[in-house]
Amino acid sequence: MRRFLPRLPTAVVITAAVFAVLASLAVGWSAAPLNTADETAHLDYAIGLWHGHLPVFEQGLAIRPPFGIVPPVQWVAQHPPLFYALVAPVVGPLWDGGHPYAAVLAGRSVNALLAGGAVLATGFAGFRVVPRRPAVGAVAAIVIACTSMLLLVGGAVYNDLPNTILAALAIAVGATALRRGLSTRLVVVAGVVTGLGMLSRASFAVFVVAVVVALVLSAPGSRSAPGSRFWDGWGRLVAAAVAALVPVLAAGWFYLRNIALTGNAEGSHPEWAAEHLHRHTASASQVLTDHDFWTGLFSVFLGHLAEDGAWTWLLLLGPLALALAAAVVGIVRRAGRGSAGRGSAGRGSAGRGSAARGGATPARASSTRADWLVAAMLAAVVLLVVVAQVRFTMSGGSAHARYLLAVMPVLAIPMAIGLTGFGRIASSVLTVVWTLPAAWVWFAILDLQAPVAGSSAVLVVARVVTVLAVVVLALTLVLTVRLLTRKAPGVLR
């Protein structure tokens, strides 16, 4: 057991990811097929890509499903093709073979796996953002695994989750650069992440900016690492150029296509939306003062509790408030220790060195600089995503909690800091108390009573998967309590 303890944070992340996969499968296999027009449009995009062509807004859908809701136009045609390229080889053959319901279930199952990937990526990002507190990364994985909007999307054919995964990886890349410096491998990973990210959604541009800035401001590299000297100084600009140019080369063609078809890189059609969906342009002040904008965008823990789910806001705001309190306590404690150190230095001998005189060591100063830069990166990403959503809503778009999934890995980390920042016992209690109602919101989404699309076998699968999900969640909490109550949490390298 002692040999297993250092791996507890990783074990928690893995079990949380398994729960997210099973919970998403339960949602997808218990819901009616193509129960939203958006899901039908996303499936049509994937099948069209399987047939070798990209969709066009005005041409509508190429498929004619025997069930579900069909939109009047192909209103997801503006999205880049990464998600659809992942789903197409799975759903395309089933649809062509005359198995439309199996195609829907297969597409939802792929997205369930992507939900698990989002949890793994968030845990990894947490380990990189707060490397000396591995419990933060582990609990961040639990937070996003119990985010009901993530599980709803994971149980449908929607394109949000690759963007969420790559956003978490972008934060991990940025935090690694700011804390450890650059290496050839990190620069290559940065290019891959930013390139794939811009092939997932246009809003990923915010994370491209975050990665580029982090590479420019990166810490000095380790002198013992091969090639690290090159990336110091001017090499940082080369790294930033790689992270900025790869997305242009990888995805620029698609946004040029959007411009050619619609006149704008986002591929939006505000005039059509105003005429047919009753969405109209608005000023920035109108959006910012609109209660529905804020509740629509941040209701990631609401699930299907539209009428009596006001308490779910505590699931988001409570841990963030605790994180703020923990930060204030930490600053006060560090200030107190600094004052005590200066006082004792004044009474000591001059031969104790700069540290004894109250001066900070270079290593500590570098760590403090990295802490502030990483915190600023997280705050800036959230702010810029909200600003982008304000612009989208101003042009006639809607404020939907799905659009906040890209920053849920970012929010999950400070939420985990809040849940784990008050001692071993208190942190365990807070984490369990938070997780149980969050998981209940997921369970309230499920309809396990009547057969779906007339298939009792699918209902049986949904019930079995639900039971497995509950068992895995219980295991996750047991491992988490063990992690939070052990005396030597260790440091992840």
Side-chain angles (χ1 to χ4, degrees):
M1 181 66 179
R2 289 183 178 180
R3 293 181 63 185
F4 175 71
L5 290 182
R7 304 188 184 114
L8 268 176
T10 303
V12 171
V13 172
I14 291 173
T15 55
V18 173
F19 165 75
V21 173
L22 294 172
S24 296
L25 285 173
V27 171
W29 285 57
S30 64
L34 304 183
N35 56 3
T36 68
D38 283 352
E39 184 177 34
T40 308
H42 287 300
L43 182 67
D44 172 77
Y45 192 144
I47 294 172
L49 197 61
W50 174 251
H51 293 157
H53 61 82
L54 290 169
V56 177
F57 179 86
E58 293 83 2
Q59 293 178 359
L61 272 60
I63 64 173
R64 292 295 179 263
F67 43 67
I69 305 171
V70 178
V73 292
Q74 183 30 290
W75 56 33
V76 302
Q78 76 277 11
H79 292 301
L82 177 61
F83 167 76
Y84 309 100
L86 297 174
V87 176
V90 179
V91 301
L94 289 170
W95 190 274
D96 291 346
H99 306 288
Y101 184 36
V104 173
L105 293 180
R108 290 176 174 180
S109 299
V110 171
N111 232 16
L113 294 176
L114 293 176
V119 175
L120 293 176
T122 300
F124 178 70
F127 293 152
R128 294 297 187 178
V129 170
V130 193
R132 295 191 173 277
R133 289 182 57 194
V136 170
V139 174
I142 294 175
V143 168
I144 196 166
C146 292
T147 301
S148 56
M149 182 50 65
L150 180 93
L151 302 177
L152 275 166
V153 171
V157 185
Y158 278 73
N159 70 339
D160 304 86
L161 296 185
N163 190 39
T164 304
I165 294 171
L166 292 162
L169 295 179
I171 292 301
V173 167
T176 302
L178 294 171
R179 292 194 179 281
R180 301 185 181 183
L182 301 184
S183 65
T184 301
R185 181 173 65 178
L186 183 64
V187 174
V188 171
V189 171
V192 172
V193 168
T194 55
L196 290 177
M198 288 308 296
L199 283 170
S200 65
R201 288 187 83 112
S203 59
F204 192 83
V206 168
F207 294 90
V208 174
V209 172
V211 170
V212 169
V213 172
L215 296 179
V216 172
L217 300 178
S218 60
S222 171
R223 295 301 180 184
S224 61
S228 63
R229 290 179 180 272
F230 171 79
W231 297 112
D232 287 341
W234 290 104
R236 293 174 179 149
L237 298 182
V238 175
V242 169
L245 289 177
V246 170
V248 175
L249 297 175
W253 64 271
F254 183 83
Y255 296 102
L256 289 175
R257 177 180 183 269
N258 272 352
I259 293 173
L261 291 175
T262 68
N264 60 83
E266 294 85 0
S268 60
H269 294 77
E271 297 83 5
W272 189 92
E275 181 180 354
H276 296 88
L277 301 179
H278 307 293
R279 296 177 184 172
H280 300 281
T281 58
S283 66
S285 61
Q286 288 174 320
V287 174
L288 291 172
T289 56
D290 184 5
H291 175 268
D292 291 338
F293 169 79
W294 296 104
T295 55
L297 187 61
F298 283 90
S299 57
V300 289
F301 292 103
L302 185 61
H304 285 168
L305 307 178
E307 296 181 358
D308 58 349
W311 60 269
T312 59
W313 286 98
L314 291 175
L315 295 174
L316 175 66
L317 300 178
L320 291 175
L322 291 174
L324 180 61
V328 171
V329 170
I331 291 172
V332 170
R333 286 178 177 175
R334 282 194 293 272
R337 286 196 296 266
S339 300
R342 287 191 294 271
S344 62
R347 295 188 296 271
S349 63
R352 292 180 181 174
S354 60
R357 289 193 297 271
T361 64
R364 178 173 295 180
S366 176
S367 176
T368 301
R369 172 185 179 274
D371 290 341
W372 282 107
L373 287 176
V374 170
M377 177 180 66
L378 299 184
V381 163
V382 175
L383 177 62
L384 289 175
V385 168
V386 173
V387 169
Q389 186 59 40
V390 169
R391 289 185 62 252
F392 175 68
T393 308
M394 288 171 59
S395 65
S398 62
H400 196 284
R402 284 196 300 111
Y403 304 147
L404 201 72
L405 286 180
V407 295
M408 270 313 297
V410 185
L411 293 175
I413 295 171
M415 290 173 69
I417 291 173
L419 293 172
T420 62
F422 295 92
R424 290 179 291 167
I425 301 301
S427 296
S428 300
V429 172
L430 285 171
T431 300
V432 173
V433 167
W434 183 93
T435 302
L436 293 179
W440 183 84
V441 175
W442 155 71
F443 187 77
I445 294 170
L446 306 177
D447 182 3
L448 302 174
Q449 301 300 317
V452 185
S455 174
S456 58
V458 172
L459 179 61
V460 171
V461 172
R463 289 173 174 173
V464 171
V465 169
T466 300
V467 173
L468 292 176
V470 172
V471 171
V472 172
L473 180 61
L475 174 62
T476 303
L477 289 178
V478 170
L479 293 175
T480 303
V481 170
R482 183 67 185 92
L483 169 65
L484 294 174
T485 54
R486 68 179 182 174
K487 293 184 179 180
V491 177
L492 290 182
R493 297 294 182 183

